Amino acid sequence: MAKLASRVYGQALYETVAGKDSAEDMLKEIEVVRKILKDNPDFTKLMLHPSVSKQEKMQVVETAFRGRVMDELTGFLLTVVEKERFNELDSIFDYFTDRIKADRGIGVVHVTSPMDLDINTRLAVEKKIRETTSYVTLETHYEVDPSIIGGIIIRIGDRVADASVKSRLDDLTNRLLDVKLG
């Protein structure tokens, strides 16, 4: 449910600036808001605290951001607080940022492998991704997860290509459990 809400709110924010020159400004201001929230964890605690009323939280957002960021972003933050979705703000911002990047032909890719990939393998993976997508450039994030044993997992947005040994073993285990003997 949270993922759907992040997409819905992220899409709403996207639609406020899509195709406008203000999209770049919104990206920059979102990064400013993210930095403020990261540097001030007590602000987030306050916004999530159940004993602080919604009206008080909205007043805090109004005071903190009105005149410092675009009015559209302040209004959006107020809506997020009003609808009690502040805990999903980071995911909402991620969705918005990914949409703007996609408009520019930039693909945000997450690659997971059981060990660090050498430069030639990374280049080959990126080449294959560019060949199979419409992205002009890639913003690739590499992660190491030894638990996948071998192979590779590629995630672009909601799409996942899982060619890991762990996934194949899990699939085989499930099929064997479904086999009825006798």
Side-chain angles (χ1 to χ4, degrees), residues 15-178:
E15 288 174 5
T16 64
V17 295
K20 298 179 185 174
D21 292 336
S22 58
E24 185 66 33
D25 294 335
M26 183 68 80
L27 271 176
K28 289 176 185 172
E29 293 196 1
I30 282 173
E31 290 310 311
V32 168
V33 170
R34 283 183 179 212
K35 182 166 178 14
I36 289 169
L37 296 177
K38 181 181 177 201
D39 292 347
N40 300 289
D42 289 340
F43 186 90
T44 300
K45 286 180 187 173
L46 174 73
M47 299 310 291
L48 298 176
H49 201 285
S51 66
V52 178
S53 75
K54 196 182 298 185
Q55 289 72 28
E56 290 172 310
K57 292 175 184 178
M58 291 176 74
Q59 184 59 47
V60 168
V61 167
E62 187 79 34
T63 302
F65 295 106
R66 181 70 67 195
R68 292 180 177 87
V69 296
M70 298 168 61
D71 287 343
E72 294 89 349
L73 183 53
T74 302
F76 179 77
L77 292 171
L78 290 169
T79 300
V80 167
V81 170
E82 180 182 359
K83 300 296 183 182
E84 299 180 353
R85 297 290 184 178
F86 196 85
N87 61 325
E88 297 170 43
L89 193 58
D90 205 41
S91 296
I92 293 167
F93 285 164
D94 285 344
Y95 180 89
F96 173 82
T97 302
D98 289 351
R99 279 297 310 264
I100 295 295
K101 288 179 180 179
D103 287 353
R104 296 177 180 165
I106 302 169
V108 179
V109 181
H110 297 269
V111 177
T112 306
S113 61
M115 65 187 87
D116 199 21
L117 300 177
D118 63 53
I119 190 68
N120 291 331
T121 305
R122 287 181 181 212
L123 291 172
V125 167
E126 291 174 15
K127 180 180 182 222
K128 188 66 171 175
I129 292 170
R130 272 196 296 288
E131 288 173 355
T132 58
T133 66
S134 60
Y135 297 122
V136 177
T137 59
L138 299 176
E139 181 182 300
T140 311
H141 305 274
Y142 291 93
E143 301 169 39
V144 174
D145 181 359
S147 73
I148 69 170
I149 305 168
I152 195 168
I153 301 171
I154 299 172
R155 183 175 60 82
I156 304 172
D158 290 341
R159 296 175 293 165
V160 177
D162 187 343
S164 67
V165 171
K166 181 183 184 313
S167 172
R168 291 178 185 169
L169 288 173
D170 289 345
D171 185 46
L172 180 60
T173 301
N174 289 334
R175 284 192 281 153
L176 288 172
L177 290 172
D178 287 341

